Amino acid sequence: MSAPLGPTASSPASGVEDGVGAFVPGPRVHVAGVPGGPLSGLRCAVKDVLDVAGTVTGNGNPQWARTHAPATRHAASVARVLAAGADVVGKTISDELAYSLTGENAHYGTPLNSAAPERVPGGSSSGSAAAVAAGLVDFALGSDCGGSVRVPASYCGLLGMRPTHGRVPEEGIAPFAPSFDCVGWFARKADVFAAVGEVLLGGKMTLPAAPRLILATDAFNLLTDDARAALRPALARVEALAGQAGPLVVSPDGLALWSAAFRTLQAAEIWASVGAWVEEVKPQFGPGVRERFEAAAHQDPAAIAAAQMVRQAVRARMDALLPTDTFMLLPSTPRIAPLRGSAAAETEVTYRHLAINLLCIAGLAGLPQISMPLAMLDGAPFGLSIVGGRGSDLELLALATRICTTP
């Protein structure tokens, strides 16, 4: 169902001063929510891949913004939070066409990670995470294809959720990789995170009576000793609330194989979605993004077919591992946020590939995942994730909320 036509976006001062470079440059969009809803009084920022009526969805690239008309309707997710009473107070910077995990935009700069100012905020929902981490807004909407909510949540010390694929309506999102794309959200406070989740997911949370936990040992084996040690207290906290987690190898074939299949399928879908625009406009992409688009233009059909077979096997494997009331624990990211200005070859290739080894699990299987801000390493946030079975979003949300509100 199409999102209803909302109030035309305007550019009066929203009352939010942007000291962290989170918002898209130019006049600030401000749309008041419907009074009296469950999100009344809360301020929301919207990643600039989601439509807000009356504004151009810039998609993290000035040439995209120049070649697209203003949206005529709000994205379905934006319409939901407005109808629930939240005020939209700005569009936030995205990595270019959402095709990065660092948060460093060659055109608009790098939003400040208030939780670790010398480090990147993570992408592609960089501005949304930065706005929430700095306290400029109560929550923010983002999008997650390969990790674009989960990574910034881990880096910035936030709660961040990627829902079951298709659970939150995706109408009004800039084209990218539709079989992976999800609308997600960030919040600092667990009660706000839960309230937003109930609005977007369209239901009430239900705490599982007897949750069963599994520990993804092959995911934890990707970490350094220091990183594993940093997550041990967080794991103990979760187990104290929900029971001991049983160790299990998630991918008998190796997470690197799953990761490669994910990257192949994602690239093929991205090129199918925006390749014609790239060839016509010939935009100036920044480091890392440029190389990924060059590779996406030359995907091997045989490799795509093989990757589809891997995805089918992953979905079957994860559906068997995560029946009702079973949840999986794994690191949100392999390490804390890289330092700002690190070499592109390190952040955009080496580390991105390592991160996708973890992020591809929920992506390939279409499962819900929440990154919880439960650990620190070298003075920077480090997220622990919990993944639920297909459609278990409200149960997962209830469990994560309980974990993050219990001392």
Side-chain angles (χ1 to χ4, degrees), residues 108-372:
Y108 301 128
T110 305
L112 180 71
N113 179 352
S114 296
E118 74 284 5
R119 298 182 181 273
V120 298
S124 62
S125 305
S126 55
S128 287
V132 175
L136 305 183
V137 293
D138 300 290
F139 71 96
L141 300 182
S143 65
D144 189 304
C145 176
S148 291
V149 166
R150 293 164 287 167
V151 169
S154 180
Y155 287 179
C156 294
L158 304 172
L159 281 152
M161 182 167 188
R162 169 204 171 87
T164 296
H165 183 262
R167 180 63 183 266
V168 176
E170 295 157 23
E171 293 90 348
I173 187 171
F176 194 52
S179 77
F180 296 109
D181 292 338
C182 295
V183 176
W185 66 100
F186 304 93
R188 297 182 310 282
K189 298 179 180 179
D191 58 340
V192 172
F193 185 72
V196 174
E198 290 186 332
V199 166
L200 289 172
L201 296 168
K204 294 296 182 182
M205 294 187 301
T206 302
L207 190 65
R212 175 176 173 265
L213 299 179
I214 59 177
L215 186 76
T217 56
D218 43 347
F220 280 93
N221 286 341
L222 295 175
L223 306 185
T224 64
D225 291 343
D226 287 349
R228 279 193 295 271
L231 289 176
R232 284 194 192 110
L235 288 171
R237 174 176 175 173
V238 174
E239 290 183 317
L241 288 168
Q244 187 171 358
L248 183 120
V249 174
V250 175
S251 174
D253 297 322
L255 289 171
L257 175 68
W258 289 12
S259 176
F262 174 87
R263 296 196 308 272
T264 294
L265 294 173
Q266 183 195 41
E269 289 194 19
I270 290 168
W271 191 253
S273 295
V274 301
W277 178 84
V278 172
E279 290 183 325
E280 177 184 356
V281 176
K282 297 179 174 53
Q284 300 300 308
F285 290 127
V289 178
R290 178 176 55 249
E291 289 79 6
R292 275 193 290 283
F293 271 108
E294 290 171 354
H298 301 95
Q299 292 296 304
D300 179 6
I304 295 170
Q308 290 286 15
M309 296 294 291
V310 173
R311 172 152 66 173
Q312 292 174 17
V314 171
R315 288 174 67 92
R317 169 75 172 163
M318 297 310 299
D319 285 344
L321 290 180
L322 297 176
T324 304
D325 292 345
T326 300
F327 303 88
M328 182 176 70
L329 297 169
L330 75 163
S332 299
T333 53
R335 67 183 186 189
I336 58 177
L339 294 170
R340 293 166 67 102
S342 297
E346 168 68 9
T347 59
E348 292 284 3
V349 180
T350 303
Y351 181 53
R352 184 176 185 275
H353 286 191
L354 185 62
I356 295 294
N357 287 351
L358 299 175
L359 300 163
C360 71
I361 301 171
L364 285 169
L367 301 181
Q369 178 174 343
I370 296 175
S371 181
M372 302 176 292

Side-chain angles (χ1 to χ4, degrees), residues 7-31:
T8 300
S10 55
S11 57
S14 63
V16 177
E17 294 295 330
D18 183 8
V20 298
F23 291 100
V24 174
R28 186 81 57 78
V29 60
H30 182 212
V31 186

